[in-house]
Amino acid sequence: MEIPYSVKANPVTGIPNGKFGIWLFLASEVMLFGALFSSYVLLRVGADVWPHGRDVGLSIPLATLNTMVLIASSVTMVMAWASLKMDQFKKFRLYLGLTILLAFGFLVVKYFEYTAKFHHEIYPSTSTFFAIYFTLTGLHGLHVIGGIIVNSYLWGPGAKVWRSEPDRFANRIEYAGLYWHFVDLVWIFLFPVLYLL
Amino acid sequence: MSADSAEEIRKHVKVYITVFAALAALTIITVGISYLHLPAFWAITFALLVATVKGSLVACYFMHLISERAIIFWVLIVCLIFFAHLLLLPVATSSHY
Amino acid sequence: MSEVVNHHPVHEAHHEELGFLRKYVFSTDHKVIGIQYGLTALVFLLFGFSLIMLLRWQLAYPGKPVIWLGKILGENFMPGGIMLPEFYNMLGAMHGTIMVFLGIVPLAVGAFGNYVMPLQIGAPDMAFPKINAASYWFYFVGGVVMLYSFFVPGGPAQGGWTSYTPLADIAPVGQTWWLVGMVFLITSSLLGSINFIVTIVQMRTKGLSFWRLPVFVWAQFVTAFLLLLAFPPLEAAAVLQLMDRLAGTSFFLPSGLVVSGQMIPNTGGGSPLLWQHLFWFLAHPEVYVLILPGMGIVAEVIANNTRKPLWGYKTIVFSILFIGGMSFTVWAHHMFMTGMGTTMSTFFQTTTMIISIPSVIILTSLLLSLWGASIRFTTPMLFAIAFLPMFAIGGLTGLPLGLTTSDIHLHDTWYVIGHFHYVVAPGTIFALFAGIYYWYPKVTGRMLNSVLGKIHFWLSLVFMNGVFLPMLIQGMAGMNRRYYDPTATPWGKAMQPFMEFISWSAWLLAISQIPFVINFFWSMWKGRKVTSDNPWDATTLEWSAPTPPPHGNFPTPPEVYREPYEYSVPGKEKDFSPQFIKEA
């Protein structure tokens, strides 16, 4: 049994099922992070004092580096998709591999940031600021890990589909890319909110 | 997007590089501004403005929203309306007027 | 249809002959998943119901021991057969959680939505069959976690189905399991809702424009959007509460909180109200998740059994859409007692009054659909007709709760419990029964027995009202809800006969379900076989599929030629013109 429009676009909406599905998923993710941002605003407005990230030991250089890493990974991700579209499978593998490596790089930097905090005996329970800091960055980190898993699958065993059904595979890369760019987008907001303000 | 020719994609690639440069520049700008220690209101306004521009660049070009179909816009508009409620109403409710 | 035409698809079906496990347990067929959802949800519905049966004993006869129950449940819950206050709280909390998240929503959306919706739009399956299966299994695991929490030290969650903080933050470990279970359930409904929306938008069959969709599909569509956008904030809230409980944060704990004479060690600085905001941001739309699919079912059954088009199809659809959009702006009417400012409470009172209008419009349209009809009083139709006044009582008793002046008196009394149970119990559950009686022949190929069905209906109708009507009176007399010992106050003591009356009604209501259970299983093997694929002479697409529909649903994709409810069209030979039959 064949599900209609699982690869080809529906003539009315102009998109295949998967693309609609991933955007709906991202909409729900907006609400998930939106609720946390809302909590952040409510807690900050209600607090007597709210510390600056840099005054309580958050490292702006490291976070700036991480921002750059994540932006770069977003570019390599979209380049991977473009390479597939140009029928250059080897280049695609290279770019997707780079994306995965950059994502690991992001996590390594995050690991150093976290351990530095723990070293100074700073935990989520230390203050409301650190509670929201660890929760937001932790949840974002989980999303990065999710992206690594998906991308690694598509880089390795999942890439077999390319030979049998190139269109389906290109779609999958596009969807994985949409998710990955969203993870980048969340960080673009997390960075100023937690570190700079 | 699937109907795009290779030529078309090559043009895309140039756009991606430009967007990358813009994102990097904006990151440096926002970090730079944060060291100026502006009054809280302006600091927040600037930082969120820059973040919004960066986010829009990612959404429009990397996520191809700029050439996306109407149905996706509808989903996002509905989502953003609810998001705005979620963001604003709890804070508004905690004020005592 | 001749044998020759049929031959090809049958042959093809043989190609993918699946083993028992793949076919009935780990199936990706939307119909099997729908049945799995349905059976699991019915079991949970029964379980959640029995929890409250137990609780009603304490309310009717406070402190009176039940020796044999004490022996079964043990010292932790009922020492010597006397219910502990903690156990009383657990029963209440888990009754609400199980009924809402594990019973009614999975039955209304997971079961009926999954089984009927793709058939009604002429699709071979859901857009993402594997994700659909994953959705069921997340739900199943979530349910198992909730059940498991009864066996952890300190028992299951006891902070109410709303899990208000700071109480829930400092509750025993059962609350953590509740949160874990909720995360599974939220993931399940997220996967389900994405599937529903994509399927409805992308996979409608040829000729089925949006304005030809049955009301039930519209209801599922809006419901899926509510689940998609309202559940993630609760997931965020669950994460924050987990952090509070496991990592020692203070998202929901104010500074200087004293519990049992001891300052709690957390730093404080959090906001207990934040939880309420995030919770009700989900839970108010959730009310419409509970009711909209029910309304959809009732619309289908009423159109079919009045043998005439629904009165105001478009009006109903626009009302459903309006309810969906509006339901995100009313949540703080659950929080009038939290001391919000008058400006904001005015805002929420206004939106609450506005959202009641489309509900009234839908109800009025359904009521007017009965006007001048030659009604067939089948079992599903009895439940559907009863839905109208029951839901009306539920809705109208909600108005005083949406206005602060009356809410301050009625909040936290039994009136509130009576109100929302009228919406959900004789409201939605009656609609779900209507759906079961209506679609059972499509699923099994056999009719449910109508004598047993009518016994089930009349007894349920009487005892449902016996349970919930007195609650409204109790509440208006000032009887507080959630009291472990209702006789602790003088006014409570005076109201005690009501408590006994309600409890006895509830137990009799339980007995009234026996005919249904017998009917449900007996008819599966012995019920009257249907002779046609369309036993109710209905017009919508699900009745054009073979009975029961095979994997892939339709031998050839159906085509739609007209609007959904063309009954008794003047000049036609039959009193129904199905969507799927081309006529001149």
Side-chain angles (χ1 to χ4, degrees), chain C residues 536-548:
Chain C
W536 303 111
D537 291 341
T539 53
T540 42
L541 274 179
E542 76 268 33
W543 303 105
S544 74
T547 310

Side-chain angles (χ1 to χ4, degrees), chain A residues 34-44 46 50 128 131-132, chain B residues 86-87 89-91 93-94, chain C residues 162-166 169 233-234 236-241 244 249-254 269-282 331 335 338:
Chain A
L36 292 173
F37 274 113
S38 177
S39 311
Y40 168 86
V41 174
L42 194 81
L43 291 174
R44 183 170 176 164
W50 192 263
T128 312
I132 197 96
Chain B
L86 179 61
L87 204 59
L89 285 180
V91 181
T93 310
S94 63
Chain C
T162 53
S163 284
Y164 271 9
T165 53
D169 264 3
L234 184 66
V239 168
L240 295 183
Q241 203 181 92
D244 273 6
T249 58
S250 306
F251 286 113
F252 304 124
L253 294 172
S271 161
L273 279 188
L274 175 60
W275 170 267
Q276 295 195 19
H277 278 299
L278 296 178
F279 181 84
W280 287 115
F281 188 85
L282 156 86
W331 80 83
M335 301 165 59
T338 60

Side-chain angles (χ1 to χ4, degrees), chain C residues 110 224 256 328 363 427 458 479 501 521 544 555-556 562:
Chain C
F328 282 86
L363 210 56
W458 286 109
M479 180 73 210
F501 182 83
F521 289 105
S544 74
T556 51
R562 56 179 59 78

